[in-house]
């Protein structure tokens, strides 16, 4: 008897799917979204442009207006930029053109779980370098392992999800300098660290940078991300991207948002200030140990079992993230930074829980 599952790759059947178990809660601090929503002025301008455009027509084949605006916004060249339906899609396209059976990809775990999943689906070998015990990047070990194991790719997430740690430019430069492979730097949360590695693209043709509109840019619901690299690399990666991957609603919203970034900037500053305030408040709660973060979330060690703490928060209609299944993070939860009121509610509930 034919079993249709026999035709699925063995390495795929071994994997667990990327899932999110997320009950509806009033205070939603589980996905590192921007809690303040898009300013109304930007929404109105997007609606106006959409109303004036025929919906029956495809978007233009290459979204030149979007790429040119992204180039100006990021100070990189338009022919070295690809736009995607979320940066997830570009991670997939990039790995599709680089990873095959046995390709060695170094990642430093715990990190964003999608990297490992896609590498394994494609038949690549994950070379995992653990973070240091203080949950910071072990850049010496990364450099040494990259060389010794002759890895093809290194993926670094900075600021890292879910720890919030960053790699220093000087360490990244050292890695890029004597390495014959590609280095992918996912800076999905860079706005919250007020730093970007995009200026390094001029100097290093083996660097690829990923960015998203889902976090600071307040557009998670519209799915836009972009990749920045040497134009020759972008041309190759584009081959694995589906035609018309970005609908004109999302691409129009991305353009208007970049044109009006001055409206988002104070919101981002507010989130950063809230992160600092929440960090100090969390450190004062006995039983909690927050980890310093450069992103819009705080990884926190808890003396109460993470699943029990999640359940307790949910009784108060607060949804945070249990990250205890990640390597090294048995005793950890992750709180995204919410609005000032939401953060106060979280802190109040935590104070009561740990008293
Ligand atoms: N990179 C990192 C590090 C992330 O945390 C996320 C979202 N959780 C993404 C990429 C994907 O973002 P999107 O597809 O929404 O652009």
């Amino acid at each position: 008897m034919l079993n249709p599952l026999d035709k699925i790759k063995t390495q795929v059947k071994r994997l667990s799917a990327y899932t999110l178990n997320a009950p509806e809660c009033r205070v939603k601090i589980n996905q590192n979204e921007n809690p303040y929503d898009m300013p109304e002025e930007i929404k109105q301008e997007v609606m106006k442009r959409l109303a004036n455009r025929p919906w029956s027509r495809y978007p233009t084949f290459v979204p030149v207006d979007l790429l040119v605006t992204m180039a100006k916004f990021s100070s990189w060249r338009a022919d070295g930029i690809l736009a995607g339906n979320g940066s997830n899609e570009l991670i997939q396209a990039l790995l599709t053109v680089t990873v095959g059976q046995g390709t060695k990809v170094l990642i430093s775990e715990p990190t964003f779980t999608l990297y490992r999943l896609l590498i394994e689906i494609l038949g690549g070998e994950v070379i995992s370098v653990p973070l240091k015990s203080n949950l910071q990047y072990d850049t010496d070990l990364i450099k040494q392992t990259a060389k010794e194991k002759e890895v093809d790719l290194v993926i670094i997430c900075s600021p890292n999800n879910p720890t919030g740690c960053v790699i220093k430019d000087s360490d990244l430069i050292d890695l890029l300098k004597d390495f014959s492979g590609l280095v992918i730097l996912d800076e999905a949360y860079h706005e919250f660290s007020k730093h970007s590695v995009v200026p390094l693209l001029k100097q290093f043709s083996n660097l690829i940078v990923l960015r998203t509109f889902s976090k600071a840019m307040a557009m998670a619901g519209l799915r836009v991300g972009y990749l920045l690299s040497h134009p020759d690399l972008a041309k190759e990666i584009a081959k694995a991207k589906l035609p018309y991957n970005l609908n004109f609603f999302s691409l129009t919203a991305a353009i208007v948002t970049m044109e009006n970034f001055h409206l988002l900037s104070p919101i981002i500053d507010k989130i950063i200030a809230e992160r600092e305030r929440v960090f100090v408040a969390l450190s004062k709660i006995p039983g909690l140990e927050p980890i310093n973060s450069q992103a819009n979330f705080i990884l926190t060690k808890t003396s109460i079992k993470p699943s029990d703490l999640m359940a307790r928060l949910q009784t108060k209609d607060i949804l945070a993230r249990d990250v205890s299944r990640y390597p090294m993070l048995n005793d950890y939860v992750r709180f995204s930074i919410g609005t000032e009121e939401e953060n106060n509610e979280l802190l109040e509930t935590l104070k009561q829980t740990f008293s």
Side-chain angles (χ1 to χ4, degrees):
M1 178 63 181
L2 174 93
N3 181 354
L5 290 181
D6 286 347
K7 298 295 174 198
I8 303 294
K9 294 180 194 173
T10 319
Q11 77 253 25
V12 172
K13 283 191 283 191
R14 274 202 308 260
L15 295 169
S16 317
Y18 183 93
T19 52
L20 182 67
N21 175 14
E24 289 273 314
C25 279
R26 191 172 34 82
V27 177
K28 190 175 177 307
I29 48 171
N30 66 329
Q31 283 187 287
N32 306 335
E33 296 147 316
N34 189 323
Y36 289 102
D37 201 11
M38 187 65 90
E40 195 53 31
E41 222 177 306
I42 295 181
K43 283 190 176 177
Q44 290 307 323
E45 177 59 24
V46 174
M47 298 304 179
K48 204 167 85 195
R49 292 195 200 179
L50 290 171
N52 292 335
R53 194 236 191 247
W55 290 24
S56 59
R57 301 292 179 186
Y58 278 104
T60 42
F61 192 77
V62 177
V64 180
D65 291 355
L66 175 66
L67 298 178
V68 167
T69 314
M70 282 171 163
K72 207 167 131 203
F73 187 67
S74 61
S75 306
W76 184 236
R77 40 194 296 183
D79 58 356
I81 297 180
L82 297 177
N85 195 335
S87 57
N88 282 345
E89 190 201 23
L90 296 167
I91 299 172
Q92 185 183 42
L94 164 59
L95 294 178
T96 302
V97 302
T98 52
V99 178
Q101 206 60 41
T103 306
K104 291 182 186 168
V105 188
L106 186 155
I107 56 177
S108 196
E109 292 179 308
T111 190
F112 187 39
T113 54
L114 191 70
Y115 310 140
R116 176 182 274 277
L117 183 73
L118 291 173
I119 295 161
E120 292 186 344
I121 287 174
L122 292 163
E125 183 189 345
V126 172
I127 309 284
S128 182
V129 173
L131 294 181
K132 291 197 273 199
S133 57
N134 61 0
L135 298 175
Q136 301 299 309
Y137 279 116
D138 191 339
T139 38
D140 288 339
L141 190 59
I142 292 173
K143 280 181 274 181
Q144 187 193 328
T145 311
K147 247 194 209 157
E148 275 175 18
K149 301 239 165 165
E150 298 182 333
V151 308
D152 301 288
L153 309 175
V154 174
I155 307 179
I156 306 251
C157 184
S158 179
N160 186 38
N161 178 12
T163 60
C165 66
V166 292
I167 187 167
K168 281 197 299 225
D169 271 7
S170 52
D171 284 323
L172 181 62
I173 290 169
D174 278 352
L175 177 64
L176 284 158
K177 256 188 195 153
D178 26 83
F179 180 51
S180 55
L182 300 177
V183 177
I184 297 138
L185 199 294
D186 184 346
E187 57 176 33
Y189 300 95
H190 77 96
E191 295 94 337
F192 304 109
S193 69
K194 299 269 176 191
H195 180 72
S196 170
V197 300
V198 166
L200 296 179
L201 285 167
K202 277 203 187 87
Q203 206 180 331
F204 297 102
S205 58
N206 57 338
L207 172 66
I208 299 175
V209 183
L210 291 157
R211 285 182 168 187
T212 181
F213 278 69
S214 299
K215 312 296 176 185
M217 306 297 275
M219 272 183 40
L222 297 185
R223 317 294 305 120
V224 178
Y226 55 126
L227 174 152
L228 308 98
S229 71
H230 189 283
D232 292 347
L233 275 177
K235 215 162 101 202
E236 296 305 319
I237 299 163
K239 294 176 184 171
K241 203 171 62 67
L242 294 179
Y244 311 110
N245 56 331
L246 211 50
N247 67 78
F248 70 77
F249 194 133
S250 300
L251 74 84
T252 304
I255 292 172
V256 177
T257 302
M258 286 183 279
E259 288 172 353
N260 292 280
F261 185 67
H262 62 281
L263 297 173
L264 272 179
S265 229
I267 298 176
I268 296 168
D269 289 344
K270 170 83 184 162
I271 295 169
I272 295 171
E274 278 293 294
R275 176 189 71 208
E276 298 308 308
R277 180 179 77 90
V278 172
F279 180 84
V280 172
L282 288 174
S283 4
K284 289 186 182 151
I285 300 176
L288 288 179
E289 268 178 62
I291 304 295
N292 233 308
S293 167
Q294 291 293 297
N296 65 335
F297 51 81
I298 301 178
L299 182 74
T300 306
K301 192 171 184 183
T302 158
S303 60
I304 297 179
K305 200 171 159 217
S307 54
D308 292 346
L309 180 56
M310 290 299 101
R312 160 84 187 160
L313 292 174
Q314 277 169 38
T315 64
K316 301 281 180 183
D317 230 358
I318 299 173
L319 181 65
R321 187 73 156 250
D322 179 350
V323 289
S324 57
R325 292 239 179 96
Y326 285 68
M328 301 174 80
L329 303 182
N330 277 345
D331 306 321
Y332 286 85
V333 293
R334 190 191 71 192
F335 303 118
S336 305
I337 300 301
T339 62
E340 191 176 338
E341 297 73 28
E342 288 173 332
N343 299 331
N344 287 341
E345 238 183 277
L346 170 72
L347 291 168
E348 210 36 61
T349 307
L350 290 171
K351 274 182 212 159
Q352 287 166 14
T353 307
F354 285 88
S355 64

